[in-house]
PDB file of all heavy atoms in Angstrom:
ATOM      1  N   GLN A  16     -35.311 -12.882  -2.637  1.00 84.00           N
ATOM      2  CA  GLN A  16     -34.672 -12.927  -1.326  1.00 84.00           C
ATOM      3  C   GLN A  16     -33.244 -13.573  -1.535  1.00 84.00           C
ATOM      4  O   GLN A  16     -32.348 -13.245  -0.840  1.00 84.00           O
ATOM      5  CB  GLN A  16     -35.525 -13.697  -0.348  1.00 84.00           C
ATOM      6  CG  GLN A  16     -36.731 -12.960   0.018  1.00 84.00           C
ATOM      7  CD  GLN A  16     -37.584 -13.780   1.069  1.00 84.00           C
ATOM      8  OE1 GLN A  16     -37.226 -14.882   1.430  1.00 84.00           O
ATOM      9  NE2 GLN A  16     -38.772 -13.165   1.475  1.00 84.00           N
ATOM     10  N   ASP A  17     -33.168 -14.667  -2.354  1.00 86.00           N
ATOM     11  CA  ASP A  17     -31.916 -15.230  -2.555  1.00 86.00           C
ATOM     12  C   ASP A  17     -30.902 -14.281  -3.177  1.00 86.00           C
ATOM     13  O   ASP A  17     -29.736 -14.225  -2.834  1.00 86.00           O
ATOM     14  CB  ASP A  17     -32.028 -16.443  -3.534  1.00 86.00           C
ATOM     15  CG  ASP A  17     -32.853 -17.508  -2.881  1.00 86.00           C
ATOM     16  OD1 ASP A  17     -32.896 -17.566  -1.591  1.00 86.00           O
ATOM     17  OD2 ASP A  17     -33.383 -18.376  -3.597  1.00 86.00           O
ATOM     18  N   VAL A  18     -31.391 -13.407  -4.100  1.00 86.00           N
ATOM     19  CA  VAL A  18     -30.498 -12.418  -4.712  1.00 86.00           C
ATOM     20  C   VAL A  18     -30.050 -11.404  -3.637  1.00 86.00           C
ATOM     21  O   VAL A  18     -28.881 -11.056  -3.573  1.00 86.00           O
ATOM     22  CB  VAL A  18     -31.228 -11.660  -5.852  1.00 86.00           C
ATOM     23  CG1 VAL A  18     -30.431 -10.540  -6.367  1.00 86.00           C
ATOM     24  CG2 VAL A  18     -31.535 -12.645  -6.988  1.00 86.00           C
ATOM     25  N   PHE A  19     -30.935 -11.006  -2.753  1.00 84.00           N
ATOM     26  CA  PHE A  19     -30.503 -10.081  -1.674  1.00 84.00           C
ATOM     27  C   PHE A  19     -29.544 -10.669  -0.793  1.00 84.00           C
ATOM     28  O   PHE A  19     -28.550  -9.987  -0.333  1.00 84.00           O
ATOM     29  CB  PHE A  19     -31.836  -9.623  -0.975  1.00 84.00           C
ATOM     30  CG  PHE A  19     -31.564  -8.661   0.158  1.00 84.00           C
ATOM     31  CD1 PHE A  19     -31.214  -7.322  -0.145  1.00 84.00           C
ATOM     32  CD2 PHE A  19     -31.567  -9.079   1.474  1.00 84.00           C
ATOM     33  CE1 PHE A  19     -30.975  -6.485   0.917  1.00 84.00           C
ATOM     34  CE2 PHE A  19     -31.280  -8.235   2.482  1.00 84.00           C
ATOM     35  CZ  PHE A  19     -31.026  -6.864   2.218  1.00 84.00           C
ATOM     36  N   VAL A  20     -29.804 -11.988  -0.434  1.00 87.00           N
ATOM     37  CA  VAL A  20     -28.808 -12.613   0.499  1.00 87.00           C
ATOM     38  C   VAL A  20     -27.433 -12.739  -0.229  1.00 87.00           C
ATOM     39  O   VAL A  20     -26.398 -12.536   0.416  1.00 87.00           O
ATOM     40  CB  VAL A  20     -29.311 -14.056   0.809  1.00 87.00           C
ATOM     41  CG1 VAL A  20     -28.253 -14.925   1.570  1.00 87.00           C
ATOM     42  CG2 VAL A  20     -30.587 -13.943   1.661  1.00 87.00           C
ATOM     43  N   GLN A  21     -27.474 -13.057  -1.527  1.00 89.00           N
ATOM     44  CA  GLN A  21     -26.156 -13.069  -2.268  1.00 89.00           C
ATOM     45  C   GLN A  21     -25.529 -11.662  -2.219  1.00 89.00           C
ATOM     46  O   GLN A  21     -24.213 -11.592  -2.174  1.00 89.00           O
ATOM     47  CB  GLN A  21     -26.429 -13.547  -3.702  1.00 89.00           C
ATOM     48  CG  GLN A  21     -25.104 -13.808  -4.397  1.00 89.00           C
ATOM     49  CD  GLN A  21     -24.292 -14.898  -3.841  1.00 89.00           C
ATOM     50  OE1 GLN A  21     -24.856 -15.830  -3.253  1.00 89.00           O
ATOM     51  NE2 GLN A  21     -22.959 -14.830  -4.042  1.00 89.00           N
ATOM     52  N   MET A  22     -26.278 -10.653  -2.284  1.00 87.00           N
ATOM     53  CA  MET A  22     -25.774  -9.299  -2.249  1.00 87.00           C
ATOM     54  C   MET A  22     -25.138  -8.984  -0.919  1.00 87.00           C
ATOM     55  O   MET A  22     -23.999  -8.417  -0.839  1.00 87.00           O
ATOM     56  CB  MET A  22     -26.949  -8.257  -2.505  1.00 87.00           C
ATOM     57  CG  MET A  22     -26.510  -6.841  -2.438  1.00 87.00           C
ATOM     58  SD  MET A  22     -27.876  -5.726  -2.761  1.00 87.00           S
ATOM     59  CE  MET A  22     -27.093  -4.096  -2.591  1.00 87.00           C
ATOM     60  N   CYS A  23     -25.762  -9.514   0.187  1.00 88.00           N
ATOM     61  CA  CYS A  23     -25.147  -9.314   1.485  1.00 88.00           C
ATOM     62  C   CYS A  23     -23.857 -10.067   1.621  1.00 88.00           C
ATOM     63  O   CYS A  23     -22.921  -9.608   2.204  1.00 88.00           O
ATOM     64  CB  CYS A  23     -26.184  -9.716   2.574  1.00 88.00           C
ATOM     65  SG  CYS A  23     -27.614  -8.589   2.671  1.00 88.00           S
ATOM     66  N   VAL A  24     -23.892 -11.385   1.070  1.00 89.00           N
ATOM     67  CA  VAL A  24     -22.712 -12.119   1.143  1.00 89.00           C
ATOM     68  C   VAL A  24     -21.560 -11.449   0.329  1.00 89.00           C
ATOM     69  O   VAL A  24     -20.401 -11.420   0.792  1.00 89.00           O
ATOM     70  CB  VAL A  24     -22.989 -13.535   0.632  1.00 89.00           C
ATOM     71  CG1 VAL A  24     -21.734 -14.388   0.527  1.00 89.00           C
ATOM     72  CG2 VAL A  24     -23.918 -14.274   1.555  1.00 89.00           C
ATOM     73  N   SER A  25     -21.837 -10.977  -0.819  1.00 88.00           N
ATOM     74  CA  SER A  25     -20.861 -10.226  -1.625  1.00 88.00           C
ATOM     75  C   SER A  25     -20.331  -9.091  -0.873  1.00 88.00           C
ATOM     76  O   SER A  25     -19.095  -8.743  -0.994  1.00 88.00           O
ATOM     77  CB  SER A  25     -21.467  -9.872  -2.977  1.00 88.00           C
ATOM     78  OG  SER A  25     -20.416  -9.236  -3.782  1.00 88.00           O
ATOM     79  N   PHE A  26     -21.162  -8.294  -0.187  1.00 87.00           N
ATOM     80  CA  PHE A  26     -20.752  -7.136   0.572  1.00 87.00           C
ATOM     81  C   PHE A  26     -19.767  -7.593   1.659  1.00 87.00           C
ATOM     82  O   PHE A  26     -18.757  -6.901   1.887  1.00 87.00           O
ATOM     83  CB  PHE A  26     -21.991  -6.451   1.233  1.00 87.00           C
ATOM     84  CG  PHE A  26     -21.562  -5.391   2.194  1.00 87.00           C
ATOM     85  CD1 PHE A  26     -21.176  -4.166   1.799  1.00 87.00           C
ATOM     86  CD2 PHE A  26     -21.695  -5.590   3.561  1.00 87.00           C
ATOM     87  CE1 PHE A  26     -20.795  -3.176   2.697  1.00 87.00           C
ATOM     88  CE2 PHE A  26     -21.390  -4.682   4.497  1.00 87.00           C
ATOM     89  CZ  PHE A  26     -20.954  -3.443   4.045  1.00 87.00           C
ATOM     90  N   ALA A  27     -20.049  -8.713   2.356  1.00 87.00           N
ATOM     91  CA  ALA A  27     -19.222  -9.194   3.429  1.00 87.00           C
ATOM     92  C   ALA A  27     -17.913  -9.804   2.978  1.00 87.00           C
ATOM     93  O   ALA A  27     -16.869  -9.649   3.574  1.00 87.00           O
ATOM     94  CB  ALA A  27     -19.966 -10.044   4.396  1.00 87.00           C
ATOM     95  N   GLU A  28     -18.035 -10.620   1.880  1.00 88.00           N
ATOM     96  CA  GLU A  28     -16.861 -11.460   1.484  1.00 88.00           C
ATOM     97  C   GLU A  28     -16.056 -10.811   0.354  1.00 88.00           C
ATOM     98  O   GLU A  28     -14.878 -11.182   0.215  1.00 88.00           O
ATOM     99  CB  GLU A  28     -17.337 -12.836   0.992  1.00 88.00           C
ATOM    100  CG  GLU A  28     -18.027 -13.601   2.099  1.00 88.00           C
ATOM    101  CD  GLU A  28     -18.501 -15.013   1.686  1.00 88.00           C
ATOM    102  OE1 GLU A  28     -18.360 -15.232   0.464  1.00 88.00           O
ATOM    103  OE2 GLU A  28     -18.964 -15.795   2.515  1.00 88.00           O
ATOM    104  N   ASP A  29     -16.585  -9.908  -0.436  1.00 88.00           N
ATOM    105  CA  ASP A  29     -15.874  -9.308  -1.518  1.00 88.00           C
ATOM    106  C   ASP A  29     -15.493  -7.819  -1.248  1.00 88.00           C
ATOM    107  O   ASP A  29     -14.417  -7.445  -1.384  1.00 88.00           O
ATOM    108  CB  ASP A  29     -16.671  -9.358  -2.863  1.00 88.00           C
ATOM    109  CG  ASP A  29     -16.864 -10.819  -3.189  1.00 88.00           C
ATOM    110  OD1 ASP A  29     -15.997 -11.674  -2.881  1.00 88.00           O
ATOM    111  OD2 ASP A  29     -17.917 -11.160  -3.857  1.00 88.00           O
ATOM    112  N   LEU A  30     -16.571  -7.041  -0.854  1.00 88.00           N
ATOM    113  CA  LEU A  30     -16.334  -5.590  -0.836  1.00 88.00           C
ATOM    114  C   LEU A  30     -15.484  -5.275   0.445  1.00 88.00           C
ATOM    115  O   LEU A  30     -14.525  -4.479   0.276  1.00 88.00           O
ATOM    116  CB  LEU A  30     -17.673  -4.885  -0.701  1.00 88.00           C
ATOM    117  CG  LEU A  30     -17.640  -3.291  -0.797  1.00 88.00           C
ATOM    118  CD1 LEU A  30     -18.828  -2.784  -1.632  1.00 88.00           C
ATOM    119  CD2 LEU A  30     -17.680  -2.674   0.573  1.00 88.00           C
ATOM    120  N   LEU A  31     -15.814  -5.797   1.603  1.00 88.00           N
ATOM    121  CA  LEU A  31     -15.072  -5.443   2.782  1.00 88.00           C
ATOM    122  C   LEU A  31     -13.618  -5.887   2.771  1.00 88.00           C
ATOM    123  O   LEU A  31     -12.692  -5.136   3.061  1.00 88.00           O
ATOM    124  CB  LEU A  31     -15.778  -6.101   4.037  1.00 88.00           C
ATOM    125  CG  LEU A  31     -17.103  -5.417   4.422  1.00 88.00           C
ATOM    126  CD1 LEU A  31     -17.682  -6.131   5.635  1.00 88.00           C
ATOM    127  CD2 LEU A  31     -16.986  -3.924   4.690  1.00 88.00           C
ATOM    128  N   PRO A  32     -13.333  -7.126   2.320  1.00 88.00           N
ATOM    129  CA  PRO A  32     -11.930  -7.479   2.196  1.00 88.00           C
ATOM    130  C   PRO A  32     -11.137  -6.613   1.163  1.00 88.00           C
ATOM    131  O   PRO A  32      -9.919  -6.290   1.392  1.00 88.00           O
ATOM    132  CB  PRO A  32     -11.897  -8.911   1.740  1.00 88.00           C
ATOM    133  CG  PRO A  32     -13.245  -9.460   2.273  1.00 88.00           C
ATOM    134  CD  PRO A  32     -14.182  -8.363   2.041  1.00 88.00           C
ATOM    135  N   PHE A  33     -11.797  -6.275   0.105  1.00 89.00           N
ATOM    136  CA  PHE A  33     -11.147  -5.493  -0.920  1.00 89.00           C
ATOM    137  C   PHE A  33     -10.836  -4.032  -0.363  1.00 89.00           C
ATOM    138  O   PHE A  33      -9.713  -3.482  -0.614  1.00 89.00           O
ATOM    139  CB  PHE A  33     -11.944  -5.366  -2.192  1.00 89.00           C
ATOM    140  CG  PHE A  33     -11.362  -4.479  -3.283  1.00 89.00           C
ATOM    141  CD1 PHE A  33     -10.276  -4.930  -3.958  1.00 89.00           C
ATOM    142  CD2 PHE A  33     -11.793  -3.170  -3.451  1.00 89.00           C
ATOM    143  CE1 PHE A  33      -9.721  -4.112  -4.938  1.00 89.00           C
ATOM    144  CE2 PHE A  33     -11.272  -2.388  -4.421  1.00 89.00           C
ATOM    145  CZ  PHE A  33     -10.228  -2.840  -5.175  1.00 89.00           C
ATOM    146  N   ILE A  34     -11.828  -3.484   0.327  1.00 87.00           N
ATOM    147  CA  ILE A  34     -11.587  -2.166   0.967  1.00 87.00           C
ATOM    148  C   ILE A  34     -10.496  -2.226   1.984  1.00 87.00           C
ATOM    149  O   ILE A  34      -9.619  -1.349   2.101  1.00 87.00           O
ATOM    150  CB  ILE A  34     -12.853  -1.652   1.514  1.00 87.00           C
ATOM    151  CG1 ILE A  34     -13.850  -1.297   0.382  1.00 87.00           C
ATOM    152  CG2 ILE A  34     -12.584  -0.413   2.433  1.00 87.00           C
ATOM    153  CD1 ILE A  34     -15.232  -0.743   0.888  1.00 87.00           C
ATOM    154  N   ASN A  35     -10.405  -3.404   2.732  1.00 87.00           N
ATOM    155  CA  ASN A  35      -9.406  -3.541   3.705  1.00 87.00           C
ATOM    156  C   ASN A  35      -7.972  -3.633   3.065  1.00 87.00           C
ATOM    157  O   ASN A  35      -7.019  -3.003   3.567  1.00 87.00           O
ATOM    158  CB  ASN A  35      -9.634  -4.832   4.526  1.00 87.00           C
ATOM    159  CG  ASN A  35      -8.745  -4.918   5.698  1.00 87.00           C
ATOM    160  OD1 ASN A  35      -8.323  -3.882   6.307  1.00 87.00           O
ATOM    161  ND2 ASN A  35      -8.352  -6.105   6.062  1.00 87.00           N
ATOM    162  N   ARG A  36      -7.896  -4.309   1.927  1.00 87.00           N
ATOM    163  CA  ARG A  36      -6.626  -4.351   1.222  1.00 87.00           C
ATOM    164  C   ARG A  36      -6.209  -3.003   0.724  1.00 87.00           C
ATOM    165  O   ARG A  36      -5.035  -2.582   0.731  1.00 87.00           O
ATOM    166  CB  ARG A  36      -6.700  -5.381   0.043  1.00 87.00           C
ATOM    167  CG  ARG A  36      -6.803  -6.841   0.471  1.00 87.00           C
ATOM    168  CD  ARG A  36      -6.500  -7.787  -0.705  1.00 87.00           C
ATOM    169  NE  ARG A  36      -7.394  -7.580  -1.830  1.00 87.00           N
ATOM    170  CZ  ARG A  36      -8.567  -8.151  -1.977  1.00 87.00           C
ATOM    171  NH1 ARG A  36      -8.959  -9.039  -1.024  1.00 87.00           N
ATOM    172  NH2 ARG A  36      -9.366  -7.954  -2.984  1.00 87.00           N
ATOM    173  N   CYS A  37      -7.211  -2.292   0.192  1.00 86.00           N
ATOM    174  CA  CYS A  37      -6.911  -0.855  -0.222  1.00 86.00           C
ATOM    175  C   CYS A  37      -6.415  -0.008   0.968  1.00 86.00           C
ATOM    176  O   CYS A  37      -5.465   0.744   0.833  1.00 86.00           O
ATOM    177  CB  CYS A  37      -8.130  -0.231  -0.865  1.00 86.00           C
ATOM    178  SG  CYS A  37      -8.669  -0.976  -2.417  1.00 86.00           S
ATOM    179  N   LEU A  38      -7.073  -0.215   2.102  1.00 84.00           N
ATOM    180  CA  LEU A  38      -6.671   0.548   3.254  1.00 84.00           C
ATOM    181  C   LEU A  38      -5.236   0.199   3.744  1.00 84.00           C
ATOM    182  O   LEU A  38      -4.457   1.047   4.114  1.00 84.00           O
ATOM    183  CB  LEU A  38      -7.695   0.387   4.354  1.00 84.00           C
ATOM    184  CG  LEU A  38      -7.557   1.214   5.638  1.00 84.00           C
ATOM    185  CD1 LEU A  38      -7.757   2.704   5.290  1.00 84.00           C
ATOM    186  CD2 LEU A  38      -8.527   0.848   6.679  1.00 84.00           C
ATOM    187  N   GLN A  39      -4.911  -1.107   3.684  1.00 83.00           N
ATOM    188  CA  GLN A  39      -3.603  -1.568   4.067  1.00 83.00           C
ATOM    189  C   GLN A  39      -2.560  -1.033   3.101  1.00 83.00           C
ATOM    190  O   GLN A  39      -1.361  -0.883   3.487  1.00 83.00           O
ATOM    191  CB  GLN A  39      -3.581  -3.059   4.202  1.00 83.00           C
ATOM    192  CG  GLN A  39      -4.405  -3.596   5.395  1.00 83.00           C
ATOM    193  CD  GLN A  39      -4.361  -5.140   5.386  1.00 83.00           C
ATOM    194  OE1 GLN A  39      -3.702  -5.775   4.573  1.00 83.00           O
ATOM    195  NE2 GLN A  39      -5.135  -5.719   6.350  1.00 83.00           N
ATOM    196  N   LEU A  40      -2.945  -0.933   1.843  1.00 84.00           N
ATOM    197  CA  LEU A  40      -1.980  -0.432   0.887  1.00 84.00           C
ATOM    198  C   LEU A  40      -1.721   1.053   1.076  1.00 84.00           C
ATOM    199  O   LEU A  40      -0.561   1.518   0.886  1.00 84.00           O
ATOM    200  CB  LEU A  40      -2.586  -0.735  -0.531  1.00 84.00           C
ATOM    201  CG  LEU A  40      -1.611  -0.313  -1.662  1.00 84.00           C
ATOM    202  CD1 LEU A  40      -0.331  -1.136  -1.610  1.00 84.00           C
ATOM    203  CD2 LEU A  40      -2.324  -0.477  -3.023  1.00 84.00           C
ATOM    204  N   LEU A  41      -2.705   1.807   1.476  1.00 83.00           N
ATOM    205  CA  LEU A  41      -2.522   3.256   1.774  1.00 83.00           C
ATOM    206  C   LEU A  41      -1.737   3.427   3.059  1.00 83.00           C
ATOM    207  O   LEU A  41      -0.947   4.408   3.189  1.00 83.00           O
ATOM    208  CB  LEU A  41      -3.853   3.947   1.802  1.00 83.00           C
ATOM    209  CG  LEU A  41      -4.658   4.127   0.432  1.00 83.00           C
ATOM    210  CD1 LEU A  41      -6.034   4.709   0.715  1.00 83.00           C
ATOM    211  CD2 LEU A  41      -3.865   4.880  -0.548  1.00 83.00           C
ATOM    212  N   PHE A  42      -2.058   2.673   4.074  1.00 80.00           N
ATOM    213  CA  PHE A  42      -1.444   2.825   5.312  1.00 80.00           C
ATOM    214  C   PHE A  42      -0.768   1.458   5.762  1.00 80.00           C
ATOM    215  O   PHE A  42      -1.356   0.648   6.359  1.00 80.00           O
ATOM    216  CB  PHE A  42      -2.466   3.151   6.402  1.00 80.00           C
ATOM    217  CG  PHE A  42      -3.202   4.431   6.081  1.00 80.00           C
ATOM    218  CD1 PHE A  42      -4.464   4.360   5.467  1.00 80.00           C
ATOM    219  CD2 PHE A  42      -2.627   5.675   6.334  1.00 80.00           C
ATOM    220  CE1 PHE A  42      -5.169   5.546   5.229  1.00 80.00           C
ATOM    221  CE2 PHE A  42      -3.317   6.824   6.051  1.00 80.00           C
ATOM    222  CZ  PHE A  42      -4.538   6.807   5.486  1.00 80.00           C
ATOM    223  N   PRO A  43       0.459   1.229   5.256  1.00 79.00           N
ATOM    224  CA  PRO A  43       1.156  -0.018   5.566  1.00 79.00           C
ATOM    225  C   PRO A  43       1.340  -0.176   7.066  1.00 79.00           C
ATOM    226  O   PRO A  43       1.599   0.789   7.790  1.00 79.00           O
ATOM    227  CB  PRO A  43       2.476   0.098   4.895  1.00 79.00           C
ATOM    228  CG  PRO A  43       2.269   1.133   3.796  1.00 79.00           C
ATOM    229  CD  PRO A  43       1.270   2.064   4.382  1.00 79.00           C
ATOM    230  N   HIS A  44       1.322  -1.390   7.564  1.00 72.00           N
ATOM    231  CA  HIS A  44       1.420  -1.672   8.957  1.00 72.00           C
ATOM    232  C   HIS A  44       2.846  -1.282   9.485  1.00 72.00           C
ATOM    233  O   HIS A  44       2.975  -0.843  10.664  1.00 72.00           O
ATOM    234  CB  HIS A  44       1.110  -3.135   9.283  1.00 72.00           C
ATOM    235  CG  HIS A  44      -0.254  -3.475   8.977  1.00 72.00           C
ATOM    236  ND1 HIS A  44      -1.398  -2.986   9.638  1.00 72.00           N
ATOM    237  CD2 HIS A  44      -0.818  -4.454   8.095  1.00 72.00           C
ATOM    238  CE1 HIS A  44      -2.491  -3.551   9.197  1.00 72.00           C
ATOM    239  NE2 HIS A  44      -2.187  -4.393   8.278  1.00 72.00           N
ATOM    240  N   THR A  45       3.846  -1.473   8.674  1.00 71.00           N
ATOM    241  CA  THR A  45       5.185  -1.093   9.186  1.00 71.00           C
ATOM    242  C   THR A  45       5.362   0.388   9.448  1.00 71.00           C
ATOM    243  O   THR A  45       5.953   0.771  10.450  1.00 71.00           O
ATOM    244  CB  THR A  45       6.185  -1.555   8.092  1.00 71.00           C
ATOM    245  OG1 THR A  45       5.877  -0.840   6.808  1.00 71.00           O
ATOM    246  CG2 THR A  45       6.149  -2.974   7.878  1.00 71.00           C
ATOM    247  N   HIS A  46       4.759   1.189   8.581  1.00 63.00           N
ATOM    248  CA  HIS A  46       4.859   2.617   8.720  1.00 63.00           C
ATOM    249  C   HIS A  46       3.951   3.071   9.914  1.00 63.00           C
ATOM    250  O   HIS A  46       4.298   3.969  10.651  1.00 63.00           O
ATOM    251  CB  HIS A  46       4.471   3.309   7.469  1.00 63.00           C
ATOM    252  CG  HIS A  46       5.449   3.210   6.387  1.00 63.00           C
ATOM    253  ND1 HIS A  46       5.247   3.628   5.103  1.00 63.00           N
ATOM    254  CD2 HIS A  46       6.735   2.675   6.434  1.00 63.00           C
ATOM    255  CE1 HIS A  46       6.288   3.355   4.375  1.00 63.00           C
ATOM    256  NE2 HIS A  46       7.237   2.743   5.145  1.00 63.00           N
ATOM    257  N   ILE A  47       2.860   2.441  10.074  1.00 62.00           N
ATOM    258  CA  ILE A  47       1.921   2.838  11.179  1.00 62.00           C
ATOM    259  C   ILE A  47       2.539   2.422  12.513  1.00 62.00           C
ATOM    260  O   ILE A  47       2.426   3.143  13.529  1.00 62.00           O
ATOM    261  CB  ILE A  47       0.538   2.186  10.970  1.00 62.00           C
ATOM    262  CG1 ILE A  47      -0.130   2.765   9.762  1.00 62.00           C
ATOM    263  CG2 ILE A  47      -0.325   2.372  12.191  1.00 62.00           C
ATOM    264  CD1 ILE A  47      -1.465   2.136   9.429  1.00 62.00           C
ATOM    265  N   ALA A  48       3.276   1.327  12.475  1.00 64.00           N
ATOM    266  CA  ALA A  48       3.935   0.953  13.725  1.00 64.00           C
ATOM    267  C   ALA A  48       5.005   1.917  14.156  1.00 64.00           C
ATOM    268  O   ALA A  48       5.304   2.136  15.300  1.00 64.00           O
ATOM    269  CB  ALA A  48       4.555  -0.463  13.530  1.00 64.00           C
ATOM    270  N   GLN A  49       5.691   2.591  13.151  1.00 62.00           N
ATOM    271  CA  GLN A  49       6.657   3.541  13.526  1.00 62.00           C
ATOM    272  C   GLN A  49       6.040   4.796  14.098  1.00 62.00           C
ATOM    273  O   GLN A  49       6.682   5.562  14.853  1.00 62.00           O
ATOM    274  CB  GLN A  49       7.473   3.931  12.204  1.00 62.00           C
ATOM    275  CG  GLN A  49       8.268   2.779  11.651  1.00 62.00           C
ATOM    276  CD  GLN A  49       9.009   3.196  10.360  1.00 62.00           C
ATOM    277  OE1 GLN A  49       8.939   4.355   9.924  1.00 62.00           O
ATOM    278  NE2 GLN A  49       9.620   2.271   9.720  1.00 62.00           N
TER     279      GLN A  49
END
């Protein structure tokens, strides 16, 4: 159960922020604002 909890924490703290950075890199906020 501790391993599964760590997996969920890694999903929330590592995977999601990384995907968000990739998404911001593909779609910069400056260009989207235009």
Side-chain angles (χ1 to χ4, degrees):
Q16 289 182 0
D17 294 338
V18 173
F19 180 73
V20 171
Q21 186 65 30
M22 179 180 178
C23 293
V24 172
S25 182
F26 171 75
E28 296 180 355
D29 296 330
L30 189 142
L31 290 181
F33 179 74
I34 290 179
N35 189 34
R36 289 196 301 271
C37 293
L38 188 62
Q39 292 178 1
L40 185 62
L41 291 174
F42 302 99
H44 295 296
T45 56
H46 291 170
I47 293 177
Q49 295 176 6

